mmCIF file of all heavy atoms in Angstrom:
data_model
loop_
_atom_site.group_PDB
_atom_site.id
_atom_site.type_symbol
_atom_site.label_atom_id
_atom_site.label_comp_id
_atom_site.label_asym_id
_atom_site.label_seq_id
_atom_site.Cartn_x
_atom_site.Cartn_y
_atom_site.Cartn_z
ATOM 1 N N PRO A 307 -84.560 -16.562 -42.986
ATOM 2 C CA PRO A 307 -85.105 -15.477 -42.109
ATOM 3 C C PRO A 307 -84.296 -15.276 -40.798
ATOM 4 O O PRO A 307 -84.050 -14.181 -40.407
ATOM 5 C CB PRO A 307 -86.472 -15.844 -41.902
ATOM 6 C CG PRO A 307 -86.896 -16.891 -43.017
ATOM 7 C CD PRO A 307 -85.635 -17.544 -43.336
ATOM 8 N N GLN A 308 -83.888 -16.430 -40.289
ATOM 9 C CA GLN A 308 -83.068 -16.383 -38.983
ATOM 10 C C GLN A 308 -81.724 -15.589 -39.226
ATOM 11 O O GLN A 308 -81.175 -15.155 -38.094
ATOM 12 C CB GLN A 308 -82.810 -17.770 -38.423
ATOM 13 C CG GLN A 308 -84.080 -18.575 -38.046
ATOM 14 C CD GLN A 308 -84.957 -18.938 -39.206
ATOM 15 O OE1 GLN A 308 -84.408 -19.212 -40.308
ATOM 16 N NE2 GLN A 308 -86.221 -18.915 -39.027
ATOM 17 N N GLU A 309 -81.300 -15.523 -40.364
ATOM 18 C CA GLU A 309 -79.995 -14.888 -40.637
ATOM 19 C C GLU A 309 -80.153 -13.403 -40.744
ATOM 20 O O GLU A 309 -79.070 -12.627 -40.867
ATOM 21 C CB GLU A 309 -79.315 -15.502 -41.696
ATOM 22 C CG GLU A 309 -78.767 -16.880 -41.474
ATOM 23 C CD GLU A 309 -78.205 -17.480 -42.726
ATOM 24 O OE1 GLU A 309 -79.100 -17.990 -43.662
ATOM 25 O OE2 GLU A 309 -77.025 -17.579 -42.887
ATOM 26 N N VAL A 310 -81.350 -12.809 -40.976
ATOM 27 C CA VAL A 310 -81.490 -11.359 -41.196
ATOM 28 C C VAL A 310 -81.245 -10.579 -39.916
ATOM 29 O O VAL A 310 -81.806 -10.974 -38.835
ATOM 30 C CB VAL A 310 -82.859 -11.242 -41.854
ATOM 31 C CG1 VAL A 310 -83.221 -9.730 -41.960
ATOM 32 C CG2 VAL A 310 -83.105 -11.952 -43.127
ATOM 33 N N ASP A 311 -80.489 -9.529 -40.016
ATOM 34 C CA ASP A 311 -80.201 -8.674 -38.955
ATOM 35 C C ASP A 311 -81.131 -7.409 -38.867
ATOM 36 O O ASP A 311 -81.200 -6.648 -37.890
ATOM 37 C CB ASP A 311 -78.803 -8.296 -39.024
ATOM 38 C CG ASP A 311 -77.775 -9.478 -38.994
ATOM 39 O OD1 ASP A 311 -78.140 -10.283 -38.156
ATOM 40 O OD2 ASP A 311 -76.883 -9.498 -39.866
ATOM 41 N N VAL A 312 -81.570 -6.988 -40.091
ATOM 42 C CA VAL A 312 -82.340 -5.714 -40.219
ATOM 43 C C VAL A 312 -83.286 -5.856 -41.297
ATOM 44 O O VAL A 312 -83.037 -6.378 -42.354
ATOM 45 C CB VAL A 312 -81.401 -4.509 -40.323
ATOM 46 C CG1 VAL A 312 -80.787 -4.446 -41.668
ATOM 47 C CG2 VAL A 312 -82.172 -3.227 -40.062
ATOM 48 N N ALA A 313 -84.531 -5.362 -41.073
ATOM 49 C CA ALA A 313 -85.536 -5.441 -42.167
ATOM 50 C C ALA A 313 -86.318 -4.093 -42.337
ATOM 51 O O ALA A 313 -86.613 -3.351 -41.340
ATOM 52 C CB ALA A 313 -86.649 -6.444 -41.775
ATOM 53 N N GLU A 314 -86.485 -3.710 -43.655
ATOM 54 C CA GLU A 314 -87.312 -2.496 -43.916
ATOM 55 C C GLU A 314 -88.524 -2.997 -44.717
ATOM 56 O O GLU A 314 -88.587 -3.577 -45.752
ATOM 57 C CB GLU A 314 -86.580 -1.622 -44.966
ATOM 58 C CG GLU A 314 -85.476 -0.710 -44.277
ATOM 59 C CD GLU A 314 -86.122 0.389 -43.525
ATOM 60 O OE1 GLU A 314 -87.051 1.058 -44.062
ATOM 61 O OE2 GLU A 314 -85.734 0.555 -42.365
ATOM 62 N N VAL A 315 -89.674 -2.989 -43.943
ATOM 63 C CA VAL A 315 -90.916 -3.549 -44.524
ATOM 64 C C VAL A 315 -92.019 -2.541 -44.729
ATOM 65 O O VAL A 315 -91.993 -1.432 -44.141
ATOM 66 C CB VAL A 315 -91.472 -4.681 -43.619
ATOM 67 C CG1 VAL A 315 -90.323 -5.722 -43.234
ATOM 68 C CG2 VAL A 315 -92.084 -4.164 -42.397
ATOM 69 N N HIS A 316 -92.899 -2.881 -45.647
ATOM 70 C CA HIS A 316 -93.885 -1.868 -46.057
ATOM 71 C C HIS A 316 -95.013 -1.893 -45.151
ATOM 72 O O HIS A 316 -96.003 -2.692 -45.194
ATOM 73 C CB HIS A 316 -94.486 -2.293 -47.467
ATOM 74 C CG HIS A 316 -95.240 -1.304 -48.199
ATOM 75 N ND1 HIS A 316 -94.514 -0.525 -49.111
ATOM 76 C CD2 HIS A 316 -96.396 -0.819 -48.137
ATOM 77 C CE1 HIS A 316 -95.503 0.384 -49.721
ATOM 78 N NE2 HIS A 316 -96.588 0.069 -49.038
ATOM 79 N N ASP A 317 -94.959 -1.052 -43.987
ATOM 80 C CA ASP A 317 -95.928 -0.863 -43.097
ATOM 81 C C ASP A 317 -97.032 0.223 -43.394
ATOM 82 O O ASP A 317 -97.024 1.277 -42.789
ATOM 83 C CB ASP A 317 -95.416 -0.647 -41.686
ATOM 84 C CG ASP A 317 -94.421 0.598 -41.755
ATOM 85 O OD1 ASP A 317 -93.935 0.927 -42.718
ATOM 86 O OD2 ASP A 317 -94.363 1.198 -40.545
ATOM 87 N N CYS A 318 -97.686 0.046 -44.479
ATOM 88 C CA CYS A 318 -98.572 1.095 -44.928
ATOM 89 C C CYS A 318 -99.645 1.356 -43.917
ATOM 90 O O CYS A 318 -100.207 2.475 -43.802
ATOM 91 C CB CYS A 318 -99.204 0.931 -46.308
ATOM 92 S SG CYS A 318 -99.909 -0.674 -46.461
ATOM 93 N N PHE A 319 -99.971 0.366 -43.160
ATOM 94 C CA PHE A 319 -100.801 0.360 -41.985
ATOM 95 C C PHE A 319 -100.233 -0.466 -40.917
ATOM 96 O O PHE A 319 -99.404 -1.359 -41.229
ATOM 97 C CB PHE A 319 -102.234 -0.142 -42.380
ATOM 98 C CG PHE A 319 -102.906 0.840 -43.493
ATOM 99 C CD1 PHE A 319 -102.710 0.566 -44.787
ATOM 100 C CD2 PHE A 319 -103.389 2.013 -43.046
ATOM 101 C CE1 PHE A 319 -103.187 1.364 -45.637
ATOM 102 C CE2 PHE A 319 -103.923 2.873 -43.989
ATOM 103 C CZ PHE A 319 -103.775 2.605 -45.358
ATOM 104 N N ALA A 320 -100.587 -0.212 -39.609
ATOM 105 C CA ALA A 320 -99.971 -0.920 -38.492
ATOM 106 C C ALA A 320 -100.064 -2.511 -38.757
ATOM 107 O O ALA A 320 -99.239 -3.250 -38.511
ATOM 108 C CB ALA A 320 -100.401 -0.476 -37.111
ATOM 109 N N VAL A 321 -101.275 -2.913 -39.169
ATOM 110 C CA VAL A 321 -101.432 -4.396 -39.338
ATOM 111 C C VAL A 321 -100.571 -4.938 -40.372
ATOM 112 O O VAL A 321 -100.242 -6.063 -40.383
ATOM 113 C CB VAL A 321 -103.047 -4.673 -39.595
ATOM 114 C CG1 VAL A 321 -103.417 -4.244 -40.968
ATOM 115 C CG2 VAL A 321 -103.285 -6.055 -39.352
ATOM 116 N N THR A 322 -100.300 -4.055 -41.384
ATOM 117 C CA THR A 322 -99.508 -4.560 -42.469
ATOM 118 C C THR A 322 -98.091 -4.984 -41.942
ATOM 119 O O THR A 322 -97.521 -5.879 -42.439
ATOM 120 C CB THR A 322 -99.284 -3.507 -43.617
ATOM 121 O OG1 THR A 322 -100.460 -2.729 -43.686
ATOM 122 C CG2 THR A 322 -99.005 -4.101 -44.990
ATOM 123 N N GLU A 323 -97.491 -4.290 -40.994
ATOM 124 C CA GLU A 323 -96.268 -4.746 -40.431
ATOM 125 C C GLU A 323 -96.429 -6.160 -39.815
ATOM 126 O O GLU A 323 -95.449 -6.966 -40.030
ATOM 127 C CB GLU A 323 -95.671 -3.701 -39.547
ATOM 128 C CG GLU A 323 -94.257 -4.210 -39.029
ATOM 129 C CD GLU A 323 -93.577 -3.205 -38.193
ATOM 130 O OE1 GLU A 323 -93.427 -2.048 -38.626
ATOM 131 O OE2 GLU A 323 -93.044 -3.611 -37.142
ATOM 132 N N CYS A 324 -97.481 -6.291 -39.080
ATOM 133 C CA CYS A 324 -97.659 -7.654 -38.481
ATOM 134 C C CYS A 324 -97.720 -8.782 -39.621
ATOM 135 O O CYS A 324 -96.942 -9.816 -39.431
ATOM 136 C CB CYS A 324 -98.983 -7.695 -37.743
ATOM 137 S SG CYS A 324 -99.165 -6.525 -36.537
ATOM 138 N N LEU A 325 -98.394 -8.481 -40.676
ATOM 139 C CA LEU A 325 -98.545 -9.435 -41.786
ATOM 140 C C LEU A 325 -97.170 -9.587 -42.583
ATOM 141 O O LEU A 325 -96.755 -10.585 -43.088
ATOM 142 C CB LEU A 325 -99.589 -8.967 -42.829
ATOM 143 C CG LEU A 325 -101.010 -9.029 -42.191
ATOM 144 C CD1 LEU A 325 -101.972 -8.184 -43.191
ATOM 145 C CD2 LEU A 325 -101.530 -10.399 -42.004
ATOM 146 N N MET A 326 -96.408 -8.425 -42.648
ATOM 147 C CA MET A 326 -95.166 -8.432 -43.362
ATOM 148 C C MET A 326 -94.027 -9.325 -42.677
ATOM 149 O O MET A 326 -93.408 -10.123 -43.173
ATOM 150 C CB MET A 326 -94.585 -7.030 -43.464
ATOM 151 C CG MET A 326 -95.011 -6.200 -44.530
ATOM 152 S SD MET A 326 -94.086 -6.623 -46.069
ATOM 153 C CE MET A 326 -95.076 -6.036 -47.232
ATOM 154 N N VAL A 327 -94.075 -9.243 -41.227
ATOM 155 C CA VAL A 327 -93.053 -9.940 -40.632
ATOM 156 C C VAL A 327 -93.391 -11.456 -40.613
ATOM 157 O O VAL A 327 -92.454 -12.293 -40.560
ATOM 158 C CB VAL A 327 -92.781 -9.429 -39.083
ATOM 159 C CG1 VAL A 327 -92.231 -8.122 -39.181
ATOM 160 C CG2 VAL A 327 -94.051 -9.575 -38.262
ATOM 161 N N GLU A 328 -94.684 -11.767 -40.774
ATOM 162 C CA GLU A 328 -95.034 -13.160 -41.017
ATOM 163 C C GLU A 328 -94.627 -13.603 -42.423
ATOM 164 O O GLU A 328 -94.088 -14.635 -42.619
ATOM 165 C CB GLU A 328 -96.575 -13.263 -40.727
ATOM 166 C CG GLU A 328 -96.887 -13.080 -39.219
ATOM 167 C CD GLU A 328 -98.470 -12.986 -38.981
ATOM 168 O OE1 GLU A 328 -99.163 -13.526 -39.793
ATOM 169 O OE2 GLU A 328 -98.759 -12.369 -37.893
ATOM 170 N N ALA A 329 -94.933 -12.845 -43.388
ATOM 171 C CA ALA A 329 -94.591 -13.095 -44.803
ATOM 172 C C ALA A 329 -93.181 -13.314 -45.003
ATOM 173 O O ALA A 329 -92.583 -14.200 -45.866
ATOM 174 C CB ALA A 329 -95.078 -12.015 -45.785
ATOM 175 N N LEU A 330 -92.364 -12.564 -44.200
ATOM 176 C CA LEU A 330 -90.967 -12.540 -44.297
ATOM 177 C C LEU A 330 -90.242 -13.776 -43.520
ATOM 178 O O LEU A 330 -89.076 -13.966 -43.457
ATOM 179 C CB LEU A 330 -90.239 -11.364 -43.980
ATOM 180 C CG LEU A 330 -90.561 -10.249 -44.764
ATOM 181 C CD1 LEU A 330 -89.711 -8.939 -44.523
ATOM 182 C CD2 LEU A 330 -90.393 -10.456 -46.398
ATOM 183 N N GLY A 331 -91.136 -14.473 -42.741
ATOM 184 C CA GLY A 331 -90.690 -15.717 -41.961
ATOM 185 C C GLY A 331 -90.084 -15.317 -40.542
ATOM 186 O O GLY A 331 -89.411 -16.164 -39.954
ATOM 187 N N PHE A 332 -90.360 -14.086 -40.019
ATOM 188 C CA PHE A 332 -89.854 -13.789 -38.712
ATOM 189 C C PHE A 332 -90.766 -14.096 -37.554
ATOM 190 O O PHE A 332 -90.470 -14.190 -36.507
ATOM 191 C CB PHE A 332 -89.584 -12.163 -38.582
ATOM 192 C CG PHE A 332 -88.731 -11.723 -39.621
ATOM 193 C CD1 PHE A 332 -88.962 -10.366 -40.203
ATOM 194 C CD2 PHE A 332 -87.634 -12.312 -40.147
ATOM 195 C CE1 PHE A 332 -88.009 -9.828 -41.134
ATOM 196 C CE2 PHE A 332 -86.723 -11.838 -41.100
ATOM 197 C CZ PHE A 332 -86.926 -10.555 -41.593
ATOM 198 N N ALA A 333 -92.111 -14.400 -38.030
ATOM 199 C CA ALA A 333 -93.009 -14.822 -37.087
ATOM 200 C C ALA A 333 -94.058 -15.777 -37.762
ATOM 201 O O ALA A 333 -94.281 -15.746 -38.855
ATOM 202 C CB ALA A 333 -93.811 -13.569 -36.481
ATOM 203 N N GLU A 334 -94.562 -16.676 -36.907
ATOM 204 C CA GLU A 334 -95.762 -17.576 -37.366
ATOM 205 C C GLU A 334 -96.957 -16.760 -37.603
ATOM 206 O O GLU A 334 -97.073 -15.686 -37.124
ATOM 207 C CB GLU A 334 -95.895 -18.686 -36.288
ATOM 208 C CG GLU A 334 -94.825 -19.659 -36.068
ATOM 209 C CD GLU A 334 -94.399 -20.475 -37.214
ATOM 210 O OE1 GLU A 334 -95.264 -20.852 -37.917
ATOM 211 O OE2 GLU A 334 -93.177 -20.581 -37.573
ATOM 212 N N PRO A 335 -97.787 -17.278 -38.469
ATOM 213 C CA PRO A 335 -99.094 -16.744 -38.808
ATOM 214 C C PRO A 335 -99.838 -16.294 -37.495
ATOM 215 O O PRO A 335 -99.919 -17.125 -36.490
ATOM 216 C CB PRO A 335 -99.920 -17.697 -39.556
ATOM 217 C CG PRO A 335 -98.758 -18.619 -40.224
ATOM 218 C CD PRO A 335 -97.716 -18.597 -39.274
ATOM 219 N N GLY A 336 -100.204 -15.136 -37.289
ATOM 220 C CA GLY A 336 -100.987 -14.615 -36.190
ATOM 221 C C GLY A 336 -100.008 -14.035 -35.068
ATOM 222 O O GLY A 336 -100.536 -13.542 -34.028
ATOM 223 N N GLN A 337 -98.700 -14.307 -35.236
ATOM 224 C CA GLN A 337 -97.758 -13.874 -34.202
ATOM 225 C C GLN A 337 -97.036 -12.541 -34.471
ATOM 226 O O GLN A 337 -96.173 -12.143 -33.729
ATOM 227 C CB GLN A 337 -96.731 -14.942 -33.996
ATOM 228 C CG GLN A 337 -97.213 -16.340 -33.664
ATOM 229 C CD GLN A 337 -97.915 -16.545 -32.402
ATOM 230 O OE1 GLN A 337 -97.245 -16.063 -31.372
ATOM 231 N NE2 GLN A 337 -99.104 -16.965 -32.301
ATOM 232 N N GLY A 338 -97.295 -11.905 -35.586
ATOM 233 C CA GLY A 338 -96.579 -10.763 -35.914
ATOM 234 C C GLY A 338 -96.760 -9.587 -34.944
ATOM 235 O O GLY A 338 -95.828 -8.889 -34.674
ATOM 236 N N ALA A 339 -97.915 -9.452 -34.250
ATOM 237 C CA ALA A 339 -98.034 -8.332 -33.350
ATOM 238 C C ALA A 339 -97.317 -8.609 -32.107
ATOM 239 O O ALA A 339 -96.743 -7.828 -31.447
ATOM 240 C CB ALA A 339 -99.525 -8.172 -33.078
ATOM 241 N N ASP A 340 -97.239 -9.965 -31.784
ATOM 242 C CA ASP A 340 -96.467 -10.313 -30.594
ATOM 243 C C ASP A 340 -94.961 -10.051 -30.696
ATOM 244 O O ASP A 340 -94.259 -9.636 -29.698
ATOM 245 C CB ASP A 340 -96.593 -11.867 -30.419
ATOM 246 C CG ASP A 340 -97.811 -12.276 -29.605
ATOM 247 O OD1 ASP A 340 -98.508 -11.317 -29.215
ATOM 248 O OD2 ASP A 340 -98.124 -13.472 -29.559
ATOM 249 N N LEU A 341 -94.545 -10.057 -32.050
ATOM 250 C CA LEU A 341 -93.142 -9.783 -32.203
ATOM 251 C C LEU A 341 -92.777 -8.269 -31.844
ATOM 252 O O LEU A 341 -91.877 -8.002 -31.242
ATOM 253 C CB LEU A 341 -92.814 -10.025 -33.728
ATOM 254 C CG LEU A 341 -91.441 -10.234 -34.005
ATOM 255 C CD1 LEU A 341 -90.935 -11.681 -33.492
ATOM 256 C CD2 LEU A 341 -91.198 -10.340 -35.548
ATOM 257 N N ALA A 342 -93.792 -7.371 -32.182
ATOM 258 C CA ALA A 342 -93.715 -5.949 -31.720
ATOM 259 C C ALA A 342 -93.852 -5.849 -30.275
ATOM 260 O O ALA A 342 -92.999 -5.084 -29.627
ATOM 261 C CB ALA A 342 -94.622 -5.169 -32.503
ATOM 262 N N ARG A 343 -94.741 -6.545 -29.660
ATOM 263 C CA ARG A 343 -95.052 -6.514 -28.244
ATOM 264 C C ARG A 343 -93.817 -6.897 -27.385
ATOM 265 O O ARG A 343 -93.423 -6.278 -26.388
ATOM 266 C CB ARG A 343 -96.210 -7.266 -27.947
ATOM 267 C CG ARG A 343 -96.679 -7.266 -26.408
ATOM 268 C CD ARG A 343 -97.608 -8.297 -26.057
ATOM 269 N NE ARG A 343 -99.009 -7.940 -26.447
ATOM 270 C CZ ARG A 343 -99.724 -7.241 -25.585
ATOM 271 N NH1 ARG A 343 -99.248 -6.642 -24.551
ATOM 272 N NH2 ARG A 343 -101.015 -6.765 -26.065
ATOM 273 N N SER A 344 -93.125 -7.956 -28.070
ATOM 274 C CA SER A 344 -91.999 -8.496 -27.285
ATOM 275 C C SER A 344 -90.753 -7.606 -27.427
ATOM 276 O O SER A 344 -89.698 -7.896 -26.595
ATOM 277 C CB SER A 344 -91.550 -9.851 -27.873
ATOM 278 O OG SER A 344 -91.004 -9.715 -29.080
ATOM 279 N N GLY A 345 -90.761 -6.660 -28.171
ATOM 280 C CA GLY A 345 -89.603 -5.745 -28.320
ATOM 281 C C GLY A 345 -88.508 -6.201 -29.347
ATOM 282 O O GLY A 345 -87.632 -5.763 -29.623
ATOM 283 N N ALA A 346 -88.811 -7.428 -29.976
ATOM 284 C CA ALA A 346 -87.842 -7.991 -30.955
ATOM 285 C C ALA A 346 -87.726 -7.129 -32.057
ATOM 286 O O ALA A 346 -86.578 -7.246 -32.684
ATOM 287 C CB ALA A 346 -88.447 -9.379 -31.323
#
Side-chain angles (χ1 to χ4, degrees):
Q308 294 69 37
E309 290 173 281
V310 175
D311 302 314
V312 68
E314 278 288 314
V315 310
H316 197 98
D317 56 333
C318 50
F319 297 92
V321 71
T322 326
E323 180 171 310
C324 303
L325 296 169
M326 273 277 162
V327 296
E328 295 171 20
L330 299 187
F332 304 144
E334 292 299 317
Q337 305 291 310
D340 278 353
L341 207 64
R343 182 190 280 278
S344 73

